[in-house]
Amino acid sequence: MTWVTRVERLRTQAEARFPVISELTGRLLSGNLLDAGTRLAAQAFLAAVPLLFAVAAFTPHSVRDQLRESLRAMFGLTGQAGRELDQVLGSSPDGGLRETSGLIGLVVALISATSFSRAMTRVCERAWRLPKAGTRIAAWRWVVWLLALVLVVLLQAPVHEGFGAGVWLGVPLSFLVSTGVWLWTQHLLLAGRVPWLPLLPGALLAGAATTALGLTARLYMPAALNRALGEYGSLGLVLTLLSWLIVVCGAITFAVTIGAVLAEEPPLNRYLGREPGEREPVQGA
């Protein structure tokens, strides 16, 4: 018996004993997950830049300063990248930035951000194999999720610092906040079609992934951004941020999908009250 035959036999036995392995392998090897993660990252990038200008232009200086500190905490920005951030979100007493952005800029930012919400909704629906919710049911949820996301970003600085206690509290606090955010995100964007408990595995995985990537970003992103700015200017900054967003959004997409599979397959489904037969095919996928 060759080693290939042995491996195949062990795989077959494992799948027979743990059916979740077969379902999980099939879903993870699907190209749809990579495509969905990339599309989500593109929408996140298209939404993030206009929103930053809108927040800087239409909010008080205290909120603008809080946003700047939170972005510094998320990416550990220093050097040239930090100066670029100060230039974008710096104080503007004469209202010049507001005049530059204007009402059209605010509308564009909202439209872009709504497309990000829709992309995140599609990721959750495909993970749980649910049909698209009606626009009237989902539209207000897109806006609420977006506003909550802005609030979460604003609070990143104090959360990362453990509200002054240090990293020893900041890391577990970031994990708890991230888990809560992704638990609520799935429930909201799925229009309550999946109970809270089955959503927990995906929320835990997404919380762990985003927390780990957040720690990695603070170590990797400062040098990467400064190097990209020095070598390629603004284009390098765009490419670096987009690459990082692809990694983050890909991790979230995989986490939510894996969580859905785990919640619907033995042995966890017995404890979470979710049966495989409850899944519905996605319309128009």
Side-chain angles (χ1 to χ4, degrees):
M1 183 182 295
T2 64
W3 69 270
V4 176
T5 306
R6 290 178 180 176
V7 170
E8 183 65 24
R9 184 176 178 180
L10 289 173
R11 184 183 68 83
T12 303
Q13 291 175 348
E15 290 181 352
R17 188 172 182 180
F18 303 103
V20 66
I21 295 178
S22 178
E23 177 68 21
L24 194 56
T25 303
R27 297 285 292 276
L28 292 180
L29 294 179
S30 171
N32 291 336
L33 287 183
L34 295 175
D35 292 342
T38 303
R39 285 195 298 269
L40 183 63
Q43 294 297 341
F45 183 78
L46 291 173
V49 174
L51 270 181
L52 287 179
F53 280 100
V55 168
F58 294 98
T59 57
H61 292 169
S62 58
V63 177
R64 193 181 312 166
D65 293 340
Q66 181 63 47
L67 176 60
R68 184 167 59 246
E69 292 305 312
S70 291
L71 291 176
R72 285 186 185 278
M74 290 171 65
F75 298 107
L77 297 181
T78 57
Q80 187 176 354
R83 290 191 293 272
E84 290 287 336
L85 178 65
D86 290 336
Q87 184 176 355
V88 172
L89 297 178
S91 299
S92 180
D94 59 355
L97 183 57
R98 180 175 301 183
E99 293 176 3
T100 302
S101 300
L103 182 60
I104 294 178
L106 180 60
V107 172
V108 170
L110 290 174
I111 293 174
S112 299
T114 303
S115 68
F116 179 39
S117 302
R118 294 198 301 269
M120 189 67 234
T121 301
R122 287 194 293 272
V123 167
C124 294
E125 288 174 340
R126 285 173 177 163
W128 288 95
R129 296 184 178 180
L130 293 172
K132 293 181 180 179
T135 303
R136 266 197 279 180
I137 297 175
W140 68 268
R141 298 173 187 271
W142 299 336
V143 176
V144 169
W145 181 73
L146 190 64
L147 295 176
L149 190 64
V150 171
L151 179 61
V152 170
V153 172
L154 286 172
L155 293 175
Q156 286 303 298
V159 169
H160 279 224
E161 296 168 2
F163 291 97
V167 178
W168 68 270
L169 180 59
V171 172
L173 190 58
S174 296
F175 170 70
L176 290 176
V177 170
S178 297
T179 299
V181 166
W182 293 115
L183 180 65
W184 176 77
T185 291
Q186 293 179 85
H187 192 268
L188 178 75
L189 297 182
L190 291 173
R193 287 175 287 173
V194 179
W196 288 98
L197 196 56
L199 299 173
L200 187 57
L204 289 169
L205 291 173
T210 51
T211 301
L213 288 172
L215 292 173
T216 303
R218 298 178 73 178
L219 298 174
Y220 167 76
M221 290 297 287
L225 287 173
N226 289 329
R227 183 170 60 252
L229 279 169
E231 295 180 0
Y232 305 106
S234 299
L235 178 60
L237 178 64
V238 169
L239 293 176
T240 303
L241 286 175
L242 185 56
S243 299
W244 182 80
L245 281 174
I246 290 175
V247 173
V248 173
C249 292
I252 292 170
T253 301
F254 274 82
V256 171
T257 303
I258 293 172
V261 174
L262 293 177
E264 293 181 326
E265 297 290 339
L268 282 183
N269 67 326
R270 294 197 298 269
Y271 304 102
L272 300 178
R274 187 76 179 175
E275 296 297 332
E278 294 182 44
R279 292 181 301 196
E280 303 175 47
V282 177
Q283 297 176 351

